[in-house]
Amino acid sequence: CLQKDYHFEYTECDSSGSRWRVAIPNSAVDCSGLPDPVRGKECTFSCASGEYLEMKNQVCSKCGEGTYSLGSGIKFDEWDELPAGFSNVATFMDTVVGPSDSRPDGCNNSSWIPRGNYIESNRDDCTVSLIYAVHLKKSGYVFFEYQYVDNNIFFEFFIQNDQCQEMDTTTDKWVKLTDNGEWGSHSVMLKSGTNILYWRTTGILMGSKAVKPVLVKNITIEGVAYTSECFPCKPGTFSNKPGSFNCQVCPRNTYSEKGARECIRCKEDSHFSEEGSSECMERPPCTTKDYFQIHTPCDEGKTQIMYKWIEPKICREDLTDAIRLPPSGEKKDCPPCNPGFYNNGSSSCRPCPPGTFSDGTKECRPCPAGTEPALGFEYKWWNVLPGNMKTSCFNVGNSKCDGMNGWEVAGDHIQSGAGGSDNDYLILNLHIPGFKPPMSVTGATGSELGRITFVFETLCSADCVLYFMVDINRKSTNVVESWGGTKEKQAYTHIIFKNATFTFTWAFQRTNQGQDNRRFINDMVKMYSITATNAVDGVASSCRACALGSEQSGSSCVPCPPGHYIEKETNQCKECPPDTYLSIHQVYGKEACIPCGPGSKSTQDHSVCYSDCFFYHEKENQSLHYDFSNLSSVGSFMNGPSFTSKGTKYFHFFNISLCGHEGKKMALCTNNITDFTIKEVAAGSDDYTNLVGAFVCQSTIIPSESKGFRAALSSQSIILADTFLGVTVETTLQNINIKEDMFPVSPSQIPDVHFFYKSSTTTTSCINGRSTAVKMRCNPTKPGAGVISVPSKCPAGTCDGCAFYFLWESAEACPLCTEHDFHEIEGACKRGFQETLYVWNEPKWCIKGISLPEKKLSTCETVDFWLKVGAGVGAFTAVLLVALTCYFWKKNQKLEYKYSKLVMTANSKECELPAADSCAIMEGEDNEEEVVYSNKQSLLGKLKSLATKEKEDHFESVQLKSSRSPNI
């Protein structure tokens, strides 16, 4: 075999860590006489960067010009196509499938997409992994640059071994968000052996707009086996010295091919190229899209419109169909200075000195006595860019618009510039070092310190987006609001709650599709005015009344104590009335004290109104007292599950802080519950992007089993209520209305109590902000924290995304018990004592309050005593009546016998005298007898006559008249 017929390779390392160099025939070569194997370098041997291992002599040599080497590493910086070794795996990891029609196309078409200088993730809600397997001979690391700005995507990087077990080095696998338009870097240590690298993204789309994908570039892996050859420089780069570990980018208007030692210049009169180009392109004829207009700085009070070519200029004016640069416009009077500035005859406007003010057209004047300047910024004239503003251009994939102006001033507005291509970010920044309220309200403890308001409009024919972002203390830039497509002229206000260094950013992108031309150059955003109040280094366009000290003449402004307003008559500080709160915007006059809503009271410093969890209501001459203290801790509610268009399962999670703690909002919702955010929370991080405090807030929860995550993830946390409005039994308060058919009718007569809240943050879909109403319902069957539910018609708690409604049923929502809620039961009288018991009315619609009275014991006449007396009297009376009846019956029988005997005697012996014993008064037992003549007399009459006879103390003789002898 000849030397060109074979090449050298190392065998696998044995247990002693040694290996052999062997000769391997090249493919399609059949020869004999290969060199014998020789002992090779130790397994951990590698060359330094810029060198390669020359296998013939087993020594390290420098790479030649036009090539580079990482020594023991590999680098992926070309993404025109997916490099060898990389693979895409698209999965849908939901274990619970949603509706049958929720996944029409699955995830077969989802993948990471190469974009030249970088690779971008999928834009849908599939889970897609970019995988690369590498075998390391020694420990090393992996390094990559990335851009990750949208928390609608979960981006994780982790490493597995050849047994598909996750490596310990990736315990913190969640990749942090980056600022908009900036590249971040991430590196992880690698162990020797097989390492399988995963870049995995999962989009979470729940009716929201398309996510911004994750971008990755410059993947570098250190610790691989020896490098036996150098890598040629990719097109558009070059290496002009031996031993290079990277290649340099060719400058503009030059190009290079693969493995170039130097760049070749283009024919500048007819061709051009961008940075890092592999070829030159022909210059096109100039059109109206290749120039823009500016207003010149004021010169002796005059300005004019001038036209400039967009730099770098790539078009040609000498072609037949090319246009020329239009001539400059006529000189016109300069627009006035912005409020708070003045013109001293020079070409620029200067800020008014401290303590003075100006409307921009007049000289600065000192504020009158008893007033102070209202500091801030109001930019409404745009002749030059203000000193605390700057503009720039940024492109994700390249740097061809670096150094360009993103925005251009245009007299009465400032508008987006041309940029290098349609997918550039055109950026405008406003820097304000801090915010503070006016002197008179410095002592106020209200949460609002200032606000920024801007007026804008967008004119778009494609998918343009305007982003408004806020950066606090130079930590991280967060998108506050965005507007897509054409928007008519409108104003937007953002409220400042903390005194910190703020950078406000407006970024305009004509399209997010990769474009290398300017098809939509006429799509633009126009900003008419930007106003920031209470800025620390601001200027004054007017003066406001302030509180005066004790001296009456020439006194300066003094800060009012918390909760005090400025009295108009005396300009002295006066405390607001009870149950009112002080408006931060207006502290002049008693009208600055705004009454609290129903059922609420103000804090001691009149900074905010709150509910103390007690509520009083008068109902049908009955007083109802409610105590919601046991429900003051945060109540939680999770509804669902719901499914996205591709079937991802998610839940809406709500936290409700009913009363808070004297106005302090207790409900917390988090974004991205991941390893690093949990650590930040534990460390006391006050980053408002991860923690938001409110009365009511909402998060979107992705369950752990849904996407194969280790823990449930929370995202898209929003504040539904940060201001307490009031509590009442009425169903309407401040345009918030709870409809009757929204919840089932209460089975009790106890009225429901309604807590009303609102959110001061406005969005494009909720121009008046969000509102929340919580219906508290007494339900004795649900003790403790009870149950929270949402309307059946609105399973997400809202039907329009702006007004949210909740029903909270609990026994703790019942009124306090009163004497109307129980009744008494009298017991039997036993042994002269009687018990009175007290029992609750059923069903019991009250809690706590008064307790049941103790049972009452009272003396009484027992029932069995009178029963015995009555029975005795009755028995005695019955015996007496029987005895009397028998006695009188016997007496009557004797009288009848004697009478009949007397009659019979008289009839038989009419001429004889009667027997002596028939006419005389008898002695003995018959001496009380009486002759009764009438035989018609009733028994009652006989008894009566006998009774009358017994009352007389003497006896009379009875004469019997004879018919025969009248003289007897």
Side-chain angles (χ1 to χ4, degrees):
C1 288
L2 301 177
Q3 185 173 342
K4 62 183 177 63
D5 296 329
Y6 61 86
H7 64 277
F8 292 108
E9 289 185 10
Y10 279 134
T11 62
E12 290 292 330
C13 295
D14 56 25
S15 58
S16 63
S18 61
R19 56 187 174 182
W20 295 81
R21 190 202 72 176
V22 296
I24 305 295
N26 294 331
S27 59
V29 174
D30 184 13
C31 65
S32 60
L34 292 172
D36 294 333
V38 298
R39 185 171 294 277
K41 294 286 187 180
E42 66 272 12
C43 288
T44 57
F45 173 82
S46 61
C47 295
S49 58
E51 298 178 343
Y52 73 101
L53 180 63
E54 187 182 0
M55 293 293 290
K56 181 178 180 180
N57 301 317
Q58 297 192 73
V59 296
C60 293
S61 302
K62 288 187 177 181
C63 291
E65 296 178 355
T67 63
Y68 74 99
S69 167
L70 298 177
S72 59
I74 51 178
K75 185 176 183 179
F76 301 96
D77 54 3
E78 291 185 64
W79 297 97
D80 295 317
E81 60 183 7
L82 204 63
F86 280 88
S87 60
N88 269 301
V89 176
T91 58
F92 205 93
M93 304 184 68
D94 276 5
T95 57
V96 180
V97 180
S100 58
D101 59 346
S102 63
R103 220 177 293 174
D105 56 352
C107 296
N108 297 330
N109 298 324
S110 301
S111 67
W112 286 74
I113 305 170
R115 294 292 190 188
N117 291 325
Y118 59 89
I119 185 170
E120 74 174 27
S121 69
N122 54 304
R123 294 171 180 262
D124 55 27
D125 56 354
C126 292
T127 299
V128 182
S129 297
L130 180 68
I131 304 175
Y132 184 78
V134 62
H135 187 79
L136 268 62
K137 297 297 184 182
K138 62 178 181 178
S139 59
Y141 65 87
V142 58
F143 168 89
F144 61 91
E145 295 180 74
Y146 69 95
Q147 195 171 96
Y148 173 33
V149 297
D150 195 332
N151 62 7
N152 285 319
I153 288 183
F154 295 117
F155 179 32
E156 49 189 334
F157 173 74
F158 59 95
I159 304 166
Q160 291 182 351
N161 59 19
D162 53 3
Q163 303 297 318
C164 294
Q165 295 174 334
E166 201 164 311
M167 308 285 277
D168 296 336
T169 54
T170 55
T171 53
D172 190 8
K173 70 175 184 177
W174 300 101
V175 183
K176 294 186 178 182
L177 291 166
T178 60
D179 292 343
N180 205 71
E182 294 186 8
W183 290 93
S185 61
H186 189 83
S187 62
V188 177
M189 298 302 295
L190 300 177
K191 293 182 178 180
S192 59
T194 301
N195 293 264
I196 305 175
L197 314 180
Y198 289 85
W199 291 264
R200 187 165 77 177
T201 58
T202 301
I204 308 298
L205 298 177
M206 280 147 295
S208 56
K209 52 181 174 292
V211 297
K212 301 189 67 175
V214 176
L215 313 180
V216 175
K217 69 175 184 180
N218 293 339
I219 298 177
T220 303
I221 302 173
E222 179 70 35
V224 298
Y226 61 91
T227 300
S228 59
E229 61 179 348
C230 298
F231 300 102
C233 292
K234 69 175 184 178
T237 63
F238 71 100
S239 169
N240 57 1
K241 60 182 180 180
S244 297
F245 63 90
N246 63 358
C247 298
Q248 304 176 52
V249 178
C250 286
R252 193 180 302 274
N253 290 329
T254 64
Y255 74 98
S256 71
E257 296 177 349
K258 189 173 185 176
R261 301 180 180 183
E262 61 180 1
C263 300
I264 305 172
R265 299 196 64 83
C266 301
K267 296 180 181 179
E268 293 193 17
D269 56 343
S270 60
H271 291 76
F272 78 101
S273 69
E274 304 287 355
E275 285 184 353
S277 296
S278 60
E279 61 179 350
C280 294
M281 293 180 289
E282 190 174 350
R283 293 182 181 273
C286 291
T287 66
T288 55
K289 296 181 179 180
D290 293 307
Y291 66 84
F292 63 95
Q293 68 177 35
I294 62 168
H295 284 67
T296 60
C298 283
D299 182 14
E300 298 180 353
K302 297 291 184 180
T303 183
Q304 65 180 141
I305 294 178
M306 294 186 64
Y307 298 91
K308 287 187 174 182
W309 294 113
I310 294 173
E311 296 294 340
K313 182 185 176 185
I314 61 173
C315 66
R316 293 178 59 180
E317 302 176 65
D318 55 351
L319 297 178
T320 54
D321 54 348
I323 65 169
R324 300 297 181 94
L325 201 65
S328 300
E330 296 181 3
K331 287 194 173 185
K332 298 181 180 178
D333 292 337
C334 287
C337 294
N338 281 307
F341 293 83
Y342 73 100
N343 193 322
N344 59 357
S346 65
S347 60
S348 61
C349 295
R350 298 178 179 271
C352 284
T356 63
F357 73 101
S358 171
D359 62 356
T361 61
K362 302 174 184 176
E363 294 184 354
C364 300
R365 293 174 295 167
C367 286
T371 63
E372 62 174 329
L375 298 179
F377 293 105
E378 183 180 358
Y379 300 122
K380 59 181 182 180
W381 299 109
W382 304 93
N383 196 57
V384 293
L385 200 63
N388 59 350
M389 298 183 73
K390 66 178 183 178
T391 181
S392 59
C393 179
F394 171 80
N395 190 284
V396 172
N398 51 55
S399 58
K400 60 186 177 184
C401 82
D402 292 356
M404 289 186 179
N405 283 342
W407 294 60
E408 304 289 349
V409 293
D412 64 343
H413 67 274
I414 182 173
Q415 65 187 31
S416 54
S421 61
D422 285 344
N423 66 340
D424 292 343
Y425 286 97
L426 308 175
I427 298 172
L428 178 67
N429 301 108
L430 169 62
H431 179 76
I432 296 180
F435 288 84
K436 69 174 183 179
M439 172 66 75
S440 298
V441 294
T442 300
T445 57
S447 57
E448 181 177 332
L449 290 179
R451 52 179 59 192
I452 180 169
T453 303
F454 53 93
V455 180
F456 71 97
E457 69 173 337
T458 56
L459 305 170
C460 296
S461 58
D463 56 336
C464 75
V465 181
L466 172 65
Y467 299 94
F468 173 60
M469 297 171 283
V470 175
D471 177 8
I472 302 178
N473 289 334
R474 303 181 185 274
K475 285 187 176 180
S476 62
T477 303
N478 298 282
V479 177
V480 175
E481 189 57 86
S482 61
W483 298 266
T486 299
K487 298 294 180 184
E488 60 184 12
K489 191 174 182 180
Q490 58 185 279
Y492 180 81
T493 299
H494 178 70
I495 300 176
I496 310 299
F497 294 103
K498 60 189 297 184
N499 183 17
T501 299
F502 279 81
T503 300
F504 303 101
T505 301
W506 293 267
F508 182 71
Q509 188 182 38
R510 291 185 171 92
T511 177
N512 61 10
Q513 304 298 322
Q515 302 282 345
D516 286 331
N517 51 28
R518 301 188 183 102
R519 293 171 50 204
F520 307 114
I521 191 70
N522 294 324
D523 291 4
M524 66 177 64
V525 56
K526 294 183 177 181
M527 191 82 66
Y528 293 93
S529 68
I530 300 176
T531 304
T533 63
N534 298 339
V536 168
D537 60 345
V539 294
S541 60
S542 61
C543 300
R544 75 178 97 202
C546 63
L548 301 178
S550 57
E551 302 85 2
Q552 290 299 319
S553 59
S555 61
S556 60
C557 295
V558 297
C560 284
H564 286 63
Y565 67 96
I566 305 172
E567 195 175 25
K568 289 184 178 180
E569 291 75 13
T570 62
N571 273 27
Q572 300 290 320
C573 297
K574 188 173 182 179
E575 186 175 4
C576 281
D579 295 336
T580 62
Y581 69 96
L582 184 66
S583 169
I584 297 299
H585 300 296
Q586 171 66 34
V587 295
Y588 190 61
K590 191 174 181 179
E591 58 269 19
C593 301
I594 303 173
C596 292
S600 60
K601 57 178 63 176
S602 63
T603 54
Q604 188 174 359
D605 58 5
H606 298 277
S607 61
V608 70
C609 296
Y610 71 97
S611 168
D612 58 0
C613 276
F614 291 91
F615 178 69
Y616 171 79
H617 174 60
E618 192 78 26
K619 175 179 179 288
E620 298 175 357
N621 297 326
Q622 181 182 357
S623 299
L624 297 178
H625 293 262
Y626 295 83
D627 180 5
F628 300 105
S629 301
N630 289 342
L631 300 177
S632 61
S633 59
V634 177
S636 299
F637 168 70
M638 182 182 290
N639 75 329
S642 301
F643 297 89
T644 65
S645 59
K646 287 188 179 295
T648 300
K649 183 171 69 173
Y650 67 93
F651 298 85
H652 283 310
F653 180 75
F654 300 93
N655 270 337
I656 301 176
S657 175
L658 194 64
C659 311
H661 179 67
E662 291 195 359
K664 183 180 179 181
K665 312 171 190 85
M666 305 295 287
L668 294 177
C669 295
T670 56
N671 280 341
N672 292 348
I673 303 178
T674 61
D675 294 339
F676 68 86
T677 53
I678 291 175
K679 293 174 185 175
E680 290 178 1
V681 171
S685 170
D686 61 349
D687 187 355
Y688 76 95
T689 62
N690 291 327
L691 283 178
V692 289
F695 286 109
V696 184
C697 60
Q698 171 195 313
S699 294
T700 301
I701 304 294
I702 312 298
S704 57
E705 77 274 7
S706 179
K707 288 291 181 182
F709 297 138
R710 288 176 297 175
L713 299 183
S714 171
S715 71
Q716 301 174 353
S717 294
I718 56 175
I719 295 176
L720 304 184
D722 57 14
T723 303
F724 176 71
L725 298 180
V727 52
T728 175
V729 296
E730 303 296 330
T731 57
T732 302
L733 182 66
Q734 295 191 19
N735 298 324
I736 305 173
N737 181 33
I738 305 176
K739 298 179 180 178
E740 292 183 0
D741 59 348
M742 194 166 286
F743 295 105
V745 179
S746 174
S748 74
Q749 298 299 318
I750 303 297
D752 296 333
V753 180
H754 307 106
F755 283 75
F756 292 93
Y757 312 86
K758 72 172 183 178
S759 171
S760 55
T761 304
T762 60
T763 63
T764 52
S765 57
C766 303
I767 57 175
N768 295 320
R770 298 184 177 94
S771 64
T772 302
V774 181
K775 178 187 280 282
M776 305 301 298
R777 174 168 294 176
C778 172
N779 191 334
T781 64
K782 294 180 171 60
V787 176
I788 303 175
S789 58
V790 293
S792 57
K793 296 181 179 178
C794 311
T798 178
C799 294
D800 58 2
C802 300
F804 290 78
Y805 302 95
F806 301 94
L807 173 64
W808 195 338
E809 298 179 271
S810 170
E812 297 291 336
C814 295
L816 301 182
C817 294
T818 65
E819 61 273 6
H820 297 286
D821 294 303
F822 62 83
H823 61 277
E824 62 180 30
I825 298 177
E826 292 185 350
C829 187
K830 296 180 180 179
R831 297 180 184 146
F833 294 99
Q834 183 182 33
E835 283 187 347
T836 302
L837 299 177
Y838 297 91
V839 295
W840 295 112
N841 298 333
E842 291 295 339
K844 182 185 176 185
W845 296 104
C846 67
I847 57 166
K848 296 181 285 190
I850 66 172
S851 303
L852 278 179
E854 295 291 335
K855 63 181 179 179
K856 187 170 63 175
L857 202 63
S858 58
T859 59
C860 63
E861 298 291 345
T862 59
V863 176
D864 55 348
F865 171 78
W866 288 109
L867 188 62
K868 292 176 181 177
V869 171
V873 172
F876 175 76
T877 305
V879 171
L880 182 61
L881 287 175
V882 171
L884 287 176
T885 303
C886 292
Y887 172 75
F888 286 117
W889 178 78
K890 187 176 181 181
K891 198 78 171 174
N892 186 52
Q893 289 291 99
K894 289 181 178 182
L895 286 176
E896 284 187 354
Y897 169 74
K898 289 181 179 182
Y899 178 74
S900 61
K901 187 177 180 181
L902 184 62
V903 174
M904 291 172 61
T905 305
N907 291 334
S908 61
K909 296 180 180 180
E910 291 181 359
C911 296
E912 293 182 8
L913 291 174
D917 60 352
S918 64
C919 295
I921 304 290
M922 297 299 172
E923 293 181 1
E925 62 181 29
D926 298 328
N927 58 357
E928 295 179 4
E929 294 177 358
E930 182 184 5
V931 177
V932 181
Y933 291 94
S934 175
N935 57 359
K936 298 181 179 178
Q937 195 173 9
S938 64
L939 177 61
L940 182 61
K942 294 175 181 179
L943 291 175
K944 184 177 179 182
S945 58
L946 286 173
T948 304
K949 181 64 178 175
E950 286 181 351
K951 291 180 182 178
E952 295 178 358
D953 295 332
H954 60 279
F955 298 91
E956 293 182 355
S957 301
V958 180
Q959 293 182 342
L960 299 174
K961 188 177 179 181
S962 175
S963 57
R964 286 187 308 176
S965 176
N967 295 325
I968 291 177

